[in-house]
Amino acid sequence: MRTTQVAASLAACALSLGLLTWCGGTTPTVGPGDASVDATPAPDDAAIDAIGDGGTDGPGPVPPGKIQHVIIIMQENRSFDHYFGTYPGAEGLPREADGGFATCLDDPKSDAGGCVRPFHLTADKNIGGPHGAKNAAGCIDNGKMDGFITNAETGKSGCADPNDPNCVNGTLVDVMGFHTDQEIPNYWAYAESFVLNDHMFQPNASWSFPQHLYMVSGWSALCSTPNDPTTCKTELTAPGNGKAAGPNNEYPWTDITYLLHNANVSWRYYLGEGDDPHCGGDPDDCQPTQISAKVPSIWNVLPEFDTVKTDGETGNIVPIDEFYQDVATGKLPSVAWIAPAQAVSEHPAALVSTGQGYVTALINTIMKSPAWGSTVIFLSWDDWGGFYDHVPPPKVDDGGYGLRVPALVISPWAKKGFVDKQVLSHDAYLKFIEDVFLGGQRLDPATDGRKDSRPTVREKLLQGDLMNDFDFNQTPLPPLVLPLK
């Protein structure tokens, strides 16, 4: 029988600021909200001040030497319920008293007017559904979380690009399907041995492009004047200058590498090279193009940030092969992001098993190296990919949050078998980096020395703190080297 340690902090069970409130795993109460995010209203200035600098306090400063490397592995397009909806101790798929699944979503294309309950999906190749901003709004449906089948059935089909976020290429509508440890044994093994975050939300209510901007900068915006970060406004579909992601776009607002550069903290962005599944934008119909570390794309946004170019650090974006070289030679940077090639991304229709094997190889590499003893690995998925999730996301500002996604914390200092129920978003990774390496400095134009027009400081809106996932006094957890297949 699996044993799972479950967080029981007051911060997770009694959130008094009106952003989201629940206790004991019940579904949060949701008001009508804004259809773009469809959950609780954005906090006012007083509420933001009350939240303070990043939500619940963690266990205090990290002891010297305990964390020297933070690695963020970002995979693609899976919801929490899709991967961990039946994981013991997690807030997974709602059940009836007899153990059956409580949710049954209407199927508009059913001749009998039937509905579909969650089902065990054993297929390695999945389809999902459209996953742009309008699709997020439709799936969430003002907090009712009942639009997933409709969304999938109204997606385009027969697209030249099988990974177009507006497209569904498949005969089976599988968005109500969930995987278990039968299909993703390594991911479940990591959850059992380290930490599973069961209220991690994507930072944006939209698709991969803006998520990758949030991942490194805490914002996705459209700027009316090139090179002027004070002319930007939140944008979830066509950010930057409005053009497709790539060499013709530009992101003038501040990103985390600006703070890292100023503090002499090393960083690298490791990119899997191959097909770009979205052709650099949100196309109606196009063929996938090749991506490389030197060419900006939706999964490789840092080369077009003004700060990266000004600091002369575009060379820090490198092919994934250099990750293995850096680990082998003891040159792993303090902060690293790893973005996949399409074939190993788990972005439908890429195979789940292939992505899991790729991620396992990355983690095994760290675990077999001297770096393991001082490394934190954050593993997550950038958006929900159209797959069902039952928890309405809180609304913190006009950008999000988006839907709930799987997230794992892997480290010798992580609490073993811990299910973290704090409300978090990928912004928590920025805050963690800032707390470990930057003395708590935030991406805040009032204090970071570089003005931009971001409406909120995302790190300050977090209700939880990833520091609560660690015990720096415990005996370090041993490596968990797993088979790739």
Side-chain angles (χ1 to χ4, degrees):
M1 178 179 295
R2 304 180 187 279
T3 58
T4 306
Q5 182 184 5
V6 180
S9 66
L10 290 176
C13 286
L15 302 172
S16 61
L17 295 173
L19 296 179
L20 185 64
T21 304
W22 73 83
C23 189
T26 58
T27 303
T29 302
V30 180
D34 184 330
S36 65
V37 180
D38 311 302
T40 51
D44 57 21
D45 291 341
I48 293 173
D49 290 341
I51 293 173
D53 196 7
T56 309
D57 290 335
V62 178
K66 291 293 179 75
I67 299 178
Q68 298 180 33
H69 310 284
V70 173
I71 302 171
I72 299 166
I73 301 173
M74 191 59 62
Q75 291 292 98
E76 293 287 318
N77 291 49
R78 304 286 166 165
S79 73
F80 184 88
D81 279 342
H82 176 61
Y83 267 9
F84 289 98
T86 60
Y87 186 84
E91 180 164 345
L93 295 160
R95 303 270 190 167
E96 301 283 10
D98 63 3
F101 292 113
T103 302
C104 197
L105 299 192
D106 290 339
D107 181 358
K109 290 191 175 181
S110 171
D111 294 336
C115 63
V116 180
R117 296 186 188 276
F119 60 91
H120 185 192
L121 180 62
T122 60
D124 199 14
K125 180 179 179 179
N126 306 151
I127 304 302
H131 46 279
K134 67 179 181 180
N135 308 112
C139 288
I140 297 167
D141 192 16
N142 291 302
K144 292 182 286 187
M145 309 304 288
D146 62 2
F148 295 85
I149 294 176
T150 300
N151 177 59
E153 292 182 343
T154 55
K156 297 183 301 177
S157 61
C159 306
D161 175 8
N163 300 298
D164 181 341
N166 292 318
C167 194
V168 175
N169 283 302
T171 57
L172 173 68
V173 175
D174 61 1
V175 295
M176 297 300 290
F178 61 85
H179 291 297
T180 71
D181 57 350
Q182 293 182 38
E183 298 81 45
I184 48 174
N186 290 6
Y187 292 154
W188 279 47
Y190 292 139
E192 291 174 333
S193 298
F194 302 102
V195 175
L196 174 67
N197 305 113
D198 78 350
H199 284 86
M200 177 67 76
F201 296 89
Q202 64 177 100
N204 59 298
S206 186
W207 64 300
S208 295
F209 181 15
Q211 187 279 339
H212 282 70
L213 292 168
Y214 271 100
M215 181 175 70
V216 297
S217 74
W219 200 21
S220 173
L222 178 66
C223 306
S224 58
T225 302
N227 303 314
D228 187 348
T230 66
T231 66
C232 307
K233 295 183 178 180
T234 301
E235 169 61 36
L236 298 182
T237 300
N241 57 18
K243 297 180 181 179
N248 295 319
N249 211 321
E250 180 179 4
Y251 318 118
W253 63 92
T254 309
D255 70 277
I256 188 69
T257 71
Y258 169 79
L259 301 181
L260 296 174
H261 175 82
N262 288 347
N264 295 313
V265 176
S266 60
W267 66 270
R268 295 194 107 183
Y269 190 100
Y270 301 98
L271 181 70
E273 298 186 310
D275 285 344
D276 176 344
H278 298 292
C279 312
D282 192 1
D284 288 331
D285 190 45
C286 66
Q287 292 292 339
T289 58
Q290 291 292 304
I291 57 175
S292 80
K294 303 306 179 187
V295 179
S297 64
I298 62 166
W299 295 349
N300 184 27
V301 296
L302 280 173
E304 286 305 310
F305 269 92
D306 286 358
T307 53
V308 176
K309 290 182 283 189
T310 299
D311 292 337
E313 292 187 326
T314 56
N316 288 10
I317 301 103
V318 297
I320 187 64
D321 289 349
E322 296 198 24
F323 166 76
Y324 297 101
Q325 297 171 13
D326 287 348
V327 174
T329 59
K331 296 180 180 178
L332 191 68
S334 297
V335 178
W337 295 268
I338 303 178
Q342 192 277 335
V344 297
S345 69
E346 296 164 69
H347 185 302
L351 299 182
V352 172
S353 61
T354 304
Q356 180 182 240
Y358 151 81
V359 170
T360 302
L362 295 172
I363 295 173
N364 283 353
T365 298
I366 292 295
M367 289 183 169
K368 292 177 179 179
S369 78
W372 166 245
S374 59
T375 293
V376 172
I377 300 169
F378 295 120
L379 169 61
S380 192
W381 285 256
D382 68 345
D383 68 52
W384 86 111
F387 292 105
Y388 176 70
D389 193 83
H390 79 281
V391 176
K395 179 173 181 177
V396 298
D397 58 23
D398 287 342
Y401 300 144
L403 285 95
R404 197 171 56 141
V405 292
L408 294 153
V409 181
I410 301 168
S411 172
W413 307 109
K415 297 176 181 177
K416 182 178 176 61
F418 184 66
V419 176
D420 181 357
K421 296 186 173 296
Q422 300 178 101
V423 178
L424 298 163
S425 77
H426 290 154
D427 306 311
Y429 300 151
L430 293 172
K431 179 181 184 295
F432 189 87
I433 292 167
E434 293 161 358
D435 288 346
V436 171
F437 297 112
L438 300 171
Q441 173 63 55
R442 306 295 177 224
L443 283 165
D444 183 348
T447 61
D448 65 17
R450 191 175 186 275
K451 296 293 184 182
D452 63 29
S453 52
R454 67 185 64 213
T456 55
V457 178
R458 273 300 189 91
E459 304 94 305
K460 293 185 178 182
L461 300 186
L462 291 163
Q463 298 179 29
D465 188 337
L466 285 168
M467 286 293 178
N468 290 313
D469 293 347
F470 297 88
D471 180 355
F472 295 110
N473 295 315
Q474 71 183 13
T475 300
L477 299 178
L480 181 67
V481 176
L482 297 173
L484 303 186
K485 294 183 179 180

